[in-house]
Amino acid sequence: MFLFPAFFMMGLVVFYPFIYNLVISFSNMNLTNFHDWQLKGLGNYLLVLKESTFWWFLYKTVLWTVLNLIFHVGIGVFLAVILNKDLKGKTFFRTLLILPWAVPQYITALTWRGMFNSEYGAVNLILDGLFGTQVSWLSTEWGAFAACLITNIWLGFPFMMIVALGGLQSIPDALYEAADIDGATPWQKFRNITMPMLKPVMVPAITLGVIWTFNNFNVVWLVSNGGEPSETTHILVSWVYRAAFFYYRMGYAASFSIIIFLILFLFSWKFIKRTSATDNVHQ
């Protein structure tokens, strides 16, 4: 009885939208028959999978996710290892490095978009001053992709840094002292002590990072100004938004979003199972 309000709200905000989205993914709902749509089977799913647009944006989404995760985890763990040492001003640097994560994402995205302006942006002014060259960041497909990537890397590494720092502080010093007695090198200590001990905290963080990055609509949409130039700077979620709320292809967009959900569900399940994220590292 006491749990009924919680289950009711969960059903209202989670299960009902999901079931409704699943139903209209099998329908012909669009702008012309918004109120009298009918079920038409797997037609939307087959249409999505046949389109070259889906496979191209899937490729760019996977590339976007992989590159982001490499930099997020690499920079995050590197900075966490440094901040875990006895450094002067450690608290100041820790606070400074968390700032990108604390600023609202849309403000950061719009700020970076201004900085990538080809004529007046700070990035090109710096490149011109240092190397005598400028880059067409927002007027080419891969220039805009790189601009979105740089923005999201700047936004994402603090989360991995905080998670890794928490994991590092839980590693007993006795393990490193024993390794020092055995004459282990810094790389051997990192590989045989730090990495295995960080695994239980980093695997769930990486899983979350993949899901967040794969579905990161804000950065791609705001930095590229809705997929410019010529709708080429899209990942799957931004293309679904375009299809649903600009072209009003509701059934098509719903089936597209279900396919995205299945991709992420299968990845998360396989990744956690393969990496044994729930196993206790001390066993």
Side-chain angles (χ1 to χ4, degrees):
M1 185 63 184
F2 293 106
L3 295 177
F4 176 76
F7 281 116
F8 176 76
M9 289 304 298
M10 187 180 297
L12 193 64
V13 302
V14 177
F15 294 115
Y16 173 72
F18 181 83
I19 298 299
Y20 182 71
N21 188 75
L22 183 63
V23 171
I24 64 173
S25 72
F26 295 103
S27 76
N28 61 349
M29 180 188 284
N30 56 37
L31 186 61
T32 59
N33 53 13
F34 194 80
H35 296 293
D36 57 348
W37 53 270
Q38 295 177 341
L39 295 177
K40 66 173 192 178
L42 296 172
N44 288 325
Y45 289 92
L46 296 176
L47 178 61
V48 170
L49 295 175
K50 283 180 181 177
E51 285 185 341
S52 60
T53 306
F54 168 77
W55 296 106
W56 177 242
F57 288 146
L58 176 61
Y59 163 72
K60 292 187 75 173
T61 306
V62 172
L63 181 65
W64 157 263
T65 305
V66 170
L67 291 176
N68 269 295
L69 261 293
I70 289 173
F71 283 102
H72 287 171
V73 175
I75 296 173
V77 172
F78 175 74
L79 292 174
V81 170
I82 293 176
L83 291 175
N84 195 43
K85 299 182 181 299
D86 292 328
L87 295 176
K88 192 174 182 180
K90 185 166 65 175
T91 304
F92 169 76
F93 288 115
R94 188 184 300 177
T95 305
L96 188 67
L97 290 169
I98 292 174
L99 280 180
W101 197 38
V103 178
Q105 200 176 63
Y106 69 93
I107 293 177
T108 302
L110 292 176
T111 302
W112 275 96
R113 175 173 172 75
M115 292 171 62
F116 282 118
N117 182 282
S118 297
E119 191 172 357
Y120 306 108
V123 177
N124 265 354
L125 291 176
I126 293 171
L127 287 176
D128 191 32
L130 292 177
F131 306 107
T133 184
Q134 294 188 348
V135 178
S136 302
W137 292 103
L138 302 177
S139 57
T140 63
E141 178 182 3
W142 291 105
F145 182 85
C148 296
L149 186 67
I150 293 169
T151 303
N152 202 52
I153 290 171
W154 192 81
L155 274 168
F157 76 83
F159 172 73
M160 294 296 176
M161 183 190 74
I162 293 298
V163 172
L165 189 58
L168 288 172
Q169 290 176 348
S170 68
I171 300 175
D173 292 335
L175 295 176
Y176 292 108
E177 292 169 1
D180 289 334
I181 292 172
D182 291 337
T185 63
W187 168 245
Q188 288 173 325
K189 287 190 284 186
F190 180 78
R191 181 180 178 184
N192 298 315
I193 298 175
T194 306
M195 285 179 63
M197 300 294 281
L198 279 180
K199 182 180 171 184
V201 296
M202 290 307 295
V203 170
I206 291 172
T207 306
L208 284 175
V210 169
I211 295 171
W212 290 340
T213 307
F214 200 93
N215 283 329
N216 194 323
F217 168 80
N218 290 344
V219 171
V220 174
W221 189 267
L222 293 173
V223 174
S224 69
N225 196 26
E228 292 180 355
S230 304
E231 307 285 2
T232 54
T233 313
H234 279 296
I235 59 175
L236 289 176
V237 291
S238 61
W239 179 247
V240 169
Y241 183 82
R242 173 72 73 180
F245 300 108
F246 283 76
Y247 303 143
Y248 299 102
R249 302 170 67 188
M250 298 302 180
Y252 169 86
S255 62
F256 213 118
S257 63
I258 291 294
I259 291 173
I260 294 174
F261 166 75
L262 291 175
I263 292 172
L264 289 175
F265 177 78
L266 289 174
F267 164 79
S268 302
W269 182 58
K270 287 284 186 183
F271 183 69
I272 291 177
K273 187 177 179 182
R274 174 163 294 187
T275 53
S276 303
T278 55
D279 290 351
N280 190 336
V281 72
H282 297 288
Q283 288 178 347

